[in-house]
């Protein structure tokens, strides 16, 4: 059977490899120093740059070329789309806006003419002695007899 004993050395200075602190503290100190190394603020780009050596050069080249081709296609598409939007908006401002304003003015003029015509017709009816309701004066004065329903 094995017997384990913890020996506390009071004379640590006598041994050549002895330190001023206990071994438990040393292991804790080393873990805390490792944790402080890991907590260094490192950006994603820095981590990605560190992985360059892991990816083979041919793969890196193909990835770089695909990304550059995609970026150029997106840039060209955006430029064409922007030009198209510019043409449509300027055309709408130069052609459609004046046209809409002209149509609105024409609609106002037609409404005014219609209103003037109705006023003239009303004045003619009143001048002839007709009632404004369109019935001749003789029919308005005579009361009608009541007719029961069904007859």
């Amino acid at each position: 059977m094995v017997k384990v004993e913890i020996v506390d050395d009071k004379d640590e200075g006598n041994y050549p490899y002895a330190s001023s602190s206990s071994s438990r503290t040393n292991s804790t100190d080393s873990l805390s120093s490792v944790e402080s190394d890991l907590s260094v603020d490192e950006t994603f780009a820095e981590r990605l740059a560190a992985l360059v050596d892991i990816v083979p050069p041919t793969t890196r080249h193909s990835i770089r070329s695909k990304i550059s081709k995609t970026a150029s296609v997106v840039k060209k598409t955006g430029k064409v789309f922007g030009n198209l939007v510019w043409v449509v908006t300027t055309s709408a401002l130069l052609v459609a806006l004046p046209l809409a304003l002209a149509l609105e003015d024409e609609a106002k003029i037609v409404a005014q003419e219609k209103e003037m015509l109705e006023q003239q017709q009303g004045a003619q009816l009143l001048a002839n002695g007709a009632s404004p309701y369109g019935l001749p004066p003789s029919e308005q004065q005579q009361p009608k007899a009541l007719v029961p329903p069904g007859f």
Side-chain angles (χ1 to χ4, degrees), residues 15-61:
Y15 301 108
Y17 299 110
S19 63
S20 61
S21 61
S22 68
S23 63
R24 288 183 215 160
T25 309
N26 285 340
S27 64
T28 307
D29 288 342
S30 64
L31 286 178
S32 65
S33 66
V34 169
E35 288 174 4
S36 67
D37 290 342
L38 291 177
S39 66
V40 173
D41 292 332
E42 194 172 20
T43 64
F44 180 73
E46 290 173 348
R47 289 184 179 206
L48 193 62
L51 295 175
V52 168
D53 295 333
I54 295 174
V55 180
T58 56
T59 307
R60 278 185 280 161
H61 178 67

Side-chain angles (χ1 to χ4, degrees), residues 123-150:
Q124 286 177 356
L125 285 175
L126 288 177
N128 292 338
S131 75
Y133 301 110
L135 296 175
S138 61
E139 290 181 10
Q140 284 182 348
Q141 293 174 356
Q142 296 176 356
K144 293 186 177 180
L146 291 175
V147 179

Side-chain angles (χ1 to χ4, degrees), residues 102-116:
L103 291 175
E104 183 182 358
D105 289 343
E106 184 69 26
K108 285 181 184 177
I109 292 171
V110 168
Q112 286 177 348
E113 288 176 353
K114 184 178 178 183
E115 185 180 329
M116 288 175 57

Side-chain angles (χ1 to χ4, degrees), residues 88-100:
V88 168
T89 54
T90 54
S91 297
L93 287 174
L94 295 175
V95 175
L97 185 63
L99 179 65

